[in-house]
Amino acid sequence: MVKKLLSLTMINKVRLVLCCFLLITSVVFTQNSSDKIALSSLLLKLEKSYDIKFSYSDNDIKDIFIQHPKKGISIENLLVFLNKETFLQFKTLDNRYVTVSFLNKYISVCGTILKSNTLEPLFLTSVKVKGYKLGTTTNNKGVFYLKNVPVNATLTISFISFKTKTITAKELFATSCKKIYLEEETEELSEITMPKFLTAGLHKNADGSTVLDTEKFGILPGLIEPDILKTIKILPGVESINESISNINVRGGTNDQNLMLWDGIKMYHSGHFFGLISAYNPYLTKKVAVIKNGTSSAFSDGVSSTINMEASNEITNKFSGGGGFNLLSADAFLQVPIKENLELHVSARRSITDVINTPTYKNYFTRSFQGNSTTNNTVNNTDSDFYFYDYSFKILYDISYNHAIRTNFIHIKNNLDYKEQYTSNNTTIEENSVLKQENLGTKISWDANWDAKFSTNLSIFFSDYKINSSDFNRDADQYQIQFNNVLETAIKLNTKYEFSDILNLTNGLVFNKIEVKNSITINAPTFINTEQNVLLKSAFYSEIEYHKKNTYARFGVRANYFEKFDKLIIEPRINIRQQLNTALSLKLEGEYKNQSTAQKIDFENNFLGIEKQRWVLSDDNITPIIKSNQASFGVEYAKENLYIDITGFYKKVDGITAKNQGFYNNQTANSIGNYEAKGVEFLVNKQTKKISTWLSYTYSKNDYTFDIFNPTTFSNSLDITHSLSAAFNYNFSKVFKISFGGVLRSGKPYTKPVVGNETIESKNRTIVNYDNPNQEKLANFFRVDLSGSYDFNLSKAIKSTIRLGFTNITDKKNIIDAYYLVDKTRKNNVRRVDNYSLPFTPNLSFRVNF
């Protein structure tokens, strides 16, 4: 009996073990069955199990992985399962044959991008669908998502200083995001030759242009925000002789010789507060490229440089934005998704100076209006109503994956109503002056990808610039009205054909119409003058671009035809960059360019000493077409966070007139001449994890030649022989940064009156009798700036930044210009007027982003 009980117990134990084994096996089998299997292997198994035959193309099912179907299900349910889990259509022809074909042309994909060595996620990795206007970037976890990707498409995944990887869309068709590992690139010259240049957000392209990415902007001495035009002044060869961003001088050129583009719209106005701050809101202007030489043939005008500002062009499908204020203005911006393929980007900024008189505003206002009172006057009271604003919006609409429409609009305005009371000869006199200055622009463009190799862009833009000013001078009992208006319309067709990943050809046609109107009205004596000119021009351009590993080359030509003058101007362009080894590169750039608009500076009919520049249009006679040719050669060294750049340049600009160069003279004002600028630019930048420090030096010689003058050759008004700047950035942590730096440069040339014969009579007026132009130089300019930045989070979704900046912390009185006025109370009948730079000026900003 006992043996029998033991036998039964043993049998039960065996049964229990057997049941556990079967249960475990079942669980393991179930777990294994949930693992994904290649569709190609699965179909072979299913053919044997169900005695059926699948008809398909190997290429169609390549790289597709799905879960294993449950065992024992019917053929009907099996086909339902396959149709659901793939983007293919499984359809029975009879009881034995099943066809496999595409059901959906587009699929959704996702992936996770990681560093191959550390397995850290790569934030903001670029993911693009080859041959289509479709792409995105990874989030802070390295994950990306893309909807409606063509099923046979290939994706390229790239990140600065890492090897670019390609992967098929079908490999990424999955419910869980496939991990993709990128390897660091150490040998090849990537498209961005230096990912961090001076400070975060600045880098250099393969073609030598310097790019500011405003979203990643770090910190610079004295700056509290990524002011687009103030930032580029730190570059070698870029000066602002009077501190104004409206007067940026690139390699000795005047400010009107810079082509200013905002999202493809040519702009004729660049500054708020009479040039002391940029008129372009940086928080929707995502990228700014500064090109000093070797310009693409797609660009014309701007014989000195091209400053190309681009707003965001991608639909993010994410609601985001931000806002903030400083001691001059407040602004906000939003990116609003409306539909999956439709999005609105909008930004606005307005001054707060008509509400709050901050120390910053007072210094800026004094700096703008210094020296504007008439001779021997004592100012008793001033009253000003001044404000500025700018706003822009952009509509992004993707018609399909190969066609996209973009529409944008920008409006910039400055408004001043200025009243001044002063005492002259015991009499109180009041002057009232009004200035309205604005630039609006709009553009619509159509991008089309006709196939994987050929794409086009068709665009039309309209730009309207106006300055309208009136000034009543009771001392002279004279009322003066000035008006300047530029209207430009352009239609442009750009085509691009990619022979391969390393070679492409670009061609284009451009049609321009420019209309310029100038008028001046004076009541005593009565004088009215109005000039209006129109110019039609067209251009064809072509260029070929090659970029493979260590070599970048771009050769282009542009043919410009001026209908009014029946004139054809051919402009060749060249840009070559060769990396000799992992550290050393050579660069060669050259170009011919022209421009048909220029600014005339009117010293006699100025407006309170400011904004006396008026746009004029070429007539190919008194005001010729301005032409330039320049060449530069340089050496770059970049290794172990040390960057050195030495570049020599030569530039000659013909067709300039005395009236658009801004020097004082009593000789023939309508004379035509040229200037030659030559020099060397040097930059050294050393970076560590916490420090970025740099030293920049430019030596240049810049001379005018006017045959009718005596002497015929003399110093350019922008001749800055030596310019030295240095800065030191330190990151105490990821959230706290400081930047300290300064600039020391030679003083600008200026003109003195003839000694012993300082005034002369001209047209019943006494005027200053100036000696030969630009024979004297002002004292050296020196300024030290400081700024600090602190980042913190108000919540998980809202990031905040406080920045504090100090301009000219030594409060040095730098003379930036000097001229003379008639003053009969003086022994020599003239009085020198000095214009000074900004004194010690603090500024503060606070920003939030979400």
Side-chain angles (χ1 to χ4, degrees):
M1 183 69 179
V2 174
K3 290 183 178 179
K4 190 173 183 181
L5 287 173
L6 289 172
S7 178
L8 288 173
T9 302
M10 186 64 69
I11 292 172
N12 289 334
K13 286 183 178 181
V14 171
R15 286 177 178 175
L16 180 61
V17 171
L18 183 60
C19 288
C20 291
F21 174 79
L22 292 175
L23 180 61
I24 293 170
T25 304
S26 175
V27 170
V28 172
F29 178 80
T30 303
Q31 289 176 340
N32 290 337
S33 66
S34 65
D35 292 340
K36 292 186 177 180
I37 185 173
L39 183 60
S40 56
S41 300
L42 177 63
L43 294 184
L44 292 175
K45 292 181 179 180
L46 294 176
E47 284 181 338
K48 296 178 180 178
S49 300
Y50 288 87
D51 192 25
I52 56 176
K53 186 67 176 177
F54 291 99
S55 177
Y56 55 86
S57 167
D58 290 337
N59 191 53
D60 289 345
I61 67 170
K62 183 182 178 183
D63 300 322
I64 298 177
F65 293 83
I66 66 171
Q67 293 182 353
H68 201 291
K70 293 181 181 179
K71 278 195 172 185
I73 63 174
S74 64
I75 292 181
E76 291 77 10
N77 290 334
L78 174 65
L79 298 183
V80 170
F81 170 82
L82 293 174
N83 284 328
K84 182 180 178 181
E85 293 296 319
T86 70
F87 44 80
L88 301 171
Q89 183 179 36
F90 292 79
K91 187 176 180 181
T92 56
L93 290 180
D94 52 35
N95 291 332
R96 192 165 185 273
Y97 290 94
V98 179
T99 61
V100 183
S101 60
F102 284 118
L103 174 63
N104 298 315
K105 189 177 180 181
Y106 304 105
I107 60 174
S108 296
V109 300
C110 73
T112 303
I113 313 301
L114 305 171
K115 295 181 182 179
S116 61
N117 54 348
T118 64
L119 303 183
E120 295 176 1
L122 282 171
F123 178 43
L124 290 179
T125 301
S126 172
V127 181
K128 295 181 179 179
V129 182
K130 290 185 68 173
Y132 298 87
K133 287 281 185 178
L134 185 62
T136 187
T137 56
T138 57
N139 60 22
N140 57 1
K141 295 182 180 179
V143 179
F144 70 89
Y145 299 91
L146 273 175
K147 294 181 180 180
N148 299 323
V149 178
V151 69
N152 279 330
T154 300
L155 285 74
T156 59
I157 300 169
S158 58
F159 191 81
I160 296 169
S161 76
F162 283 78
K163 292 181 180 180
T164 298
K165 195 163 190 174
T166 60
I167 191 168
T168 63
K170 287 183 288 187
E171 290 181 72
L172 302 176
F173 175 73
T175 54
S176 59
C177 298
K178 180 175 180 176
K179 292 181 179 179
I180 303 166
Y181 303 96
L182 294 189
E183 298 177 0
E184 289 194 41
E185 175 63 84
T186 56
E187 295 295 330
E188 292 188 3
L189 177 68
S190 60
E191 185 174 355
I192 305 299
T193 60
M194 192 172 185
K196 183 181 176 184
F197 173 64
L198 304 185
T199 189
L202 274 176
H203 53 247
K204 298 197 78 174
N205 275 342
D207 65 357
S209 60
T210 303
V211 177
L212 166 64
D213 186 337
T214 57
E215 281 189 332
K216 302 175 184 177
F217 176 74
I219 189 171
L220 290 174
L223 291 190
I224 55 165
E225 59 184 7
D227 187 301
I228 292 166
L229 300 180
K230 278 187 178 181
T231 301
I232 69 174
K233 290 195 299 181
I234 70 169
L235 303 177
V238 180
E239 302 283 352
S240 177
I241 206 162
N242 65 352
E243 288 189 315
S244 166
I245 55 87
S246 292
N247 191 25
I248 290 178
N249 317 120
V250 180
R251 289 180 176 172
T254 53
N255 62 287
D256 59 333
Q257 293 173 0
N258 301 317
L259 172 62
M260 199 78 63
L261 294 171
W262 185 84
D263 228 15
I265 305 170
K266 184 177 178 182
M267 304 298 290
Y268 287 88
H269 177 59
S270 56
H272 284 316
F273 223 126
F274 313 108
L276 292 180
I277 59 176
S278 171
Y280 304 102
N281 191 322
Y283 297 104
L284 275 184
T285 307
K286 298 299 184 185
K287 188 172 73 171
V288 184
V290 182
I291 309 163
K292 294 186 279 188
N293 193 8
T295 316
S296 166
S297 60
F299 299 110
S300 186
D301 295 326
V303 294
S304 270
S305 74
T306 298
I307 301 172
N308 187 21
M309 296 167 278
E310 298 179 12
S312 176
N313 206 43
E314 299 296 329
I315 293 177
T316 62
N317 285 319
K318 180 183 178 183
F319 180 77
S320 62
F325 67 87
N326 56 47
L327 298 185
L328 292 173
S329 63
D331 74 276
F333 70 96
L334 289 173
Q335 295 185 354
V336 184
I338 301 171
K339 295 171 61 178
E340 191 177 65
N341 62 338
L342 180 64
E343 193 161 292
L344 172 66
H345 296 176
V346 60
S347 72
R349 173 172 53 171
R350 192 190 188 281
S351 62
I352 59 173
T353 53
D354 52 341
V355 179
I356 304 173
N357 283 332
T358 65
T360 308
Y361 167 69
K362 291 176 181 178
N363 285 353
Y364 274 48
F365 195 86
T366 303
R367 158 67 179 79
S368 297
F369 292 98
Q370 58 185 314
N372 63 339
S373 299
T374 54
T375 305
N376 199 30
N377 297 327
T378 301
V379 177
N380 292 327
N381 185 37
T382 62
D383 180 32
S384 63
D385 180 15
F386 170 73
Y387 65 87
F388 63 80
Y389 65 77
D390 59 76
Y391 63 89
S392 65
F393 65 82
K394 184 170 185 176
I395 300 173
L396 303 88
Y397 175 55
D398 288 346
I399 302 172
S400 66
Y401 297 99
N402 294 323
H403 298 272
I405 299 290
R406 301 290 185 262
T407 303
N408 48 10
F409 178 87
I410 185 171
H411 187 200
I412 299 167
K413 186 170 184 178
N414 288 275
N415 192 90
L416 171 67
D417 189 347
Y418 183 75
K419 296 177 182 177
E420 179 179 89
Q421 288 183 343
Y422 57 87
T423 301
S424 179
N425 300 323
N426 297 321
T427 303
T428 300
I429 299 175
E430 182 178 283
E431 290 185 0
N432 186 19
S433 302
V434 176
L435 173 68
K436 295 181 179 179
Q437 185 179 36
E438 60 185 320
N439 198 162
L440 64 86
T442 184
K443 176 190 170 188
I444 183 169
S445 65
W446 168 35
D447 290 299
N449 290 305
W450 302 102
D451 57 37
K453 293 182 177 292
F454 183 65
S455 61
T456 61
N457 173 268
L458 179 64
S459 65
I460 178 170
F461 80 74
F462 172 76
S463 184
D464 182 6
Y465 168 79
K466 290 190 184 95
I467 181 168
N468 201 338
S469 63
S470 61
D471 184 19
F472 180 56
N473 187 324
R474 185 166 295 184
D475 194 33
D477 194 25
Q478 188 178 81
Y479 187 76
Q480 178 179 284
I481 300 174
Q482 296 183 53
F483 179 74
N484 181 219
N485 182 212
V486 183
L487 297 172
E488 179 169 358
T489 305
I491 301 174
K492 182 177 181 179
L493 174 64
N494 187 86
T495 69
K496 184 176 181 180
Y497 186 82
E498 298 182 16
F499 294 99
S500 66
D501 291 339
I502 62 172
L503 184 67
N504 61 72
L505 175 68
T506 300
N507 295 297
L509 286 170
V510 186
F511 299 94
N512 281 77
K513 178 184 179 182
I514 307 175
E515 182 178 348
V516 178
K517 182 178 181 180
N518 274 292
S519 68
I520 182 169
T521 303
I522 301 175
N523 70 328
T526 302
F527 176 79
I528 300 175
N529 182 46
T530 301
E531 297 179 1
Q532 188 167 352
N533 296 298
V534 179
L535 183 64
L536 298 176
K537 60 179 183 178
S538 55
F540 169 78
Y541 61 87
S542 181
E543 70 181 19
I544 191 162
E545 187 177 38
Y546 174 86
H547 188 189
K548 184 178 181 181
K549 292 188 177 181
N550 298 331
T551 303
Y552 175 86
R554 184 174 66 205
F555 302 94
V557 65
R558 186 182 180 99
N560 307 273
Y561 178 69
F562 299 85
E563 181 182 19
K564 187 175 182 179
F565 315 133
D566 192 24
K567 177 176 285 189
L568 181 67
I569 298 177
I570 306 296
E571 300 171 344
R573 314 275 176 88
I574 183 173
N575 192 319
I576 300 175
R577 189 170 300 263
Q578 179 63 49
Q579 187 162 341
L580 303 179
N581 53 42
T582 57
L584 197 63
S585 302
L586 302 178
K587 55 182 180 178
L588 174 65
E589 299 162 333
E591 66 180 26
Y592 282 75
K593 292 180 79 176
N594 82 87
Q595 69 179 64
S596 50
T597 54
Q599 284 186 323
K600 181 177 73 172
I601 300 175
D602 192 342
F603 291 111
E604 295 182 4
N605 298 308
N606 64 57
F607 175 81
L608 295 174
I610 59 172
E611 297 302 336
K612 50 200 168 200
Q613 291 139 334
R614 303 291 182 267
W615 286 100
V616 294
L617 189 60
S618 172
D619 59 9
D620 204 34
N621 184 18
I622 297 176
T623 308
I625 298 171
I626 301 174
K627 301 175 185 176
S628 75
N629 58 83
Q630 65 171 314
S632 59
F633 177 78
V635 180
E636 289 181 350
Y637 176 88
K639 190 172 183 179
E640 296 179 354
N641 297 318
L642 175 65
Y643 177 78
I644 301 174
D645 183 351
I646 303 175
T647 302
F649 66 89
Y650 170 82
K651 176 166 66 175
K652 183 177 181 182
V653 178
D654 293 295
I656 62 173
T657 64
K659 278 200 171 184
N660 70 10
Q661 292 302 301
F663 55 83
Y664 293 84
N665 71 96
N666 297 119
Q667 304 182 62
T668 306
N670 289 327
S671 59
I672 299 170
N674 65 65
Y675 72 82
E676 287 189 12
K678 50 195 172 186
V680 177
E681 299 166 355
F682 172 78
L683 174 69
V684 57
N685 177 208
K686 175 62 178 177
Q687 299 182 35
T688 66
K689 287 184 178 180
K690 291 191 173 184
I691 295 174
S692 177
T693 183
W694 66 89
L695 176 73
S696 171
Y697 171 73
T698 302
Y699 168 81
S700 67
K701 183 60 179 165
N702 192 351
D703 289 324
Y704 289 126
T705 298
F706 287 90
D707 292 338
I708 201 168
F709 279 33
N710 183 25
T712 58
T713 300
F714 54 94
S715 293
N716 193 305
S717 300
L718 304 175
D719 182 28
I720 303 297
T721 308
H722 305 280
S723 180
L724 177 71
S725 65
F728 176 83
N729 285 7
Y730 186 79
N731 299 340
F732 287 93
S733 64
K734 290 184 179 180
V735 297
F736 180 45
K737 309 175 183 70
I738 64 165
S739 182
F740 175 80
V743 58
L744 171 65
R745 66 168 184 254
S746 305
K748 76 177 289 275
Y750 74 104
T751 308
K752 277 187 173 182
V754 176
V755 178
N757 188 23
E758 284 82 4
T759 61
I760 58 174
E761 298 298 319
S762 175
K763 299 178 182 179
N764 299 320
R765 293 188 306 127
T766 301
I767 64 173
V768 178
N769 183 26
Y770 283 102
D771 204 342
N772 295 329
N774 295 343
Q775 300 300 303
E776 307 292 331
K777 280 207 170 188
L778 297 173
N780 292 340
F781 178 97
F782 176 71
R783 194 185 73 211
V784 177
D785 302 326
L786 174 68
S787 61
S789 174
Y790 179 71
D791 300 328
F792 61 97
N793 295 335
L794 293 176
S795 68
K796 289 184 178 180
I798 301 177
K799 298 180 179 180
S800 304
T801 301
I802 293 179
R803 284 181 175 169
L804 186 63
F806 301 96
T807 301
N808 194 6
I809 60 176
T810 63
D811 201 25
K812 187 175 188 305
K813 293 188 70 174
N814 291 297
I815 301 175
I816 55 177
D817 198 11
Y819 61 94
Y820 292 81
L821 294 175
V822 175
D823 186 352
K824 293 183 179 180
T825 65
R826 304 264 178 137
K827 184 177 180 180
N828 57 3
N829 293 329
V830 295
R831 176 171 61 92
R832 172 170 158 168
V833 178
D834 290 330
N835 282 345
Y836 294 94
S837 65
L838 275 172
F840 170 72
T841 303
N843 205 348
L844 170 73
S845 74
F846 172 74
R847 299 205 59 80
V848 295
N849 291 280
F850 58 87

